[in-house]
């Protein structure tokens, strides 16, 4: 229960801070500010709940850990449930806050949902979105498995958070950056429409990228001997 609660709170925080920066302050802080909001949310939670659950706050990270042999299946499924519930709760809180002004419209302003194609940010293609999410999730999980595999590093949370910052700097215009199925599911459930129709990519591509990272570590092609 402690681990599940930690993952719930951590994922809620990630969605509320990261998507919140985009929805509530995007015009003020810009793409760089949004990128740091996501990354610093991870840094904060890494040190806040990391000692309890490892601060996965991402089904792809848990899946990568499972594939790498660092997590049993039943525990991964508990993490997934807590992460998805946390993301939905975070998105719901964000919607409640954003709706506190007449200038906000869910239909036009969104909730930080991911997407691609015509009308979405840089209007990148499906192929570009798929490649981006697969590659970036793989690299992200590689960093996580690497910095957490040789004992507890005092700087692991910082390394993971800064990696997420860079991924957002590079990719916000491509997909809004998911690399995290839960982060995509939460806002999409409230935004509906295209966000729901495109949700499959933000589940499949991150999980596939995480699986590749896990396989590389399980096969001892990466990591310490």
């Amino acid at each position: 229960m402690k681990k599940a609660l930690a993952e719930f709170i951590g994922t809620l925080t990630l969605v509320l801070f990261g998507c919140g920066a985009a929805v509530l302050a995007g015009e003020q802080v810009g793409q760089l500010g949004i990128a740091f909001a996501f990354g610093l949310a991870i840094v904060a939670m890494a040190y806040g709940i990391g000692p309890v659950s490892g601060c996965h706050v991402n089904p792809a990270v848990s899946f990568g850990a499972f594939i790498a042999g660092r997590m049993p299946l039943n525990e991964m499924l508990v993490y997934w449930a807590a992460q998805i519930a946390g993301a939905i709760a975070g998105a719901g809180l964000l919607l409640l806050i954003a709706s506190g002004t007449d200038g906000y419209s869910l239909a036009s302003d969104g909730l930080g949902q991911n997407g691609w194609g015509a009308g979405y940010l840089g209007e990148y293609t499906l192929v570009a979105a798929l490649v981006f999410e697969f590659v970036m999730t793989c690299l992200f999980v590689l960093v996580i498995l690497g910095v957490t595999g040789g004992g507890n590093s005092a700087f692991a949370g910082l390394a993971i958070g800064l990696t997420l910052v860079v991924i957002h700097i590079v990719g916000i215009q491509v997909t809004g950056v998911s690399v995290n199925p839960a982060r995509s599911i939460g806002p999409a459930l409230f935004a509906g429409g295209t966000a729901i129709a495109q949700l499959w990519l933000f589940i499949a591509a991150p999980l596939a990228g995480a699986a590749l990272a896990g396989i590389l570590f399980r096969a001892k092609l990466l990591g310490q001997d």
Side-chain angles (χ1 to χ4, degrees), residues 109-138:
D109 298 319
L111 204 61
Q113 66 268 23
N114 298 113
W116 75 84
Y120 187 87
L121 296 177
E123 299 190 336
Y124 282 79
T125 65
L126 165 62
V127 172
L130 188 64
V131 171
F132 175 84
E133 290 293 331
F134 173 81
V135 172
M136 292 301 176
T137 307
C138 181

Side-chain angles (χ1 to χ4, degrees), residues 16 27 38-39 108 165 209 222 225:
L16 186 59
E27 293 183 2
F38 274 102
S108 60
V165 170
L222 292 174
D225 294 330

Side-chain angles (χ1 to χ4, degrees), residues 82-103:
Q83 291 156 359
I84 293 169
I88 295 170
L93 282 172
L94 176 56
L95 178 58
L96 181 63
I97 295 167
S99 299
T101 174
D102 291 336

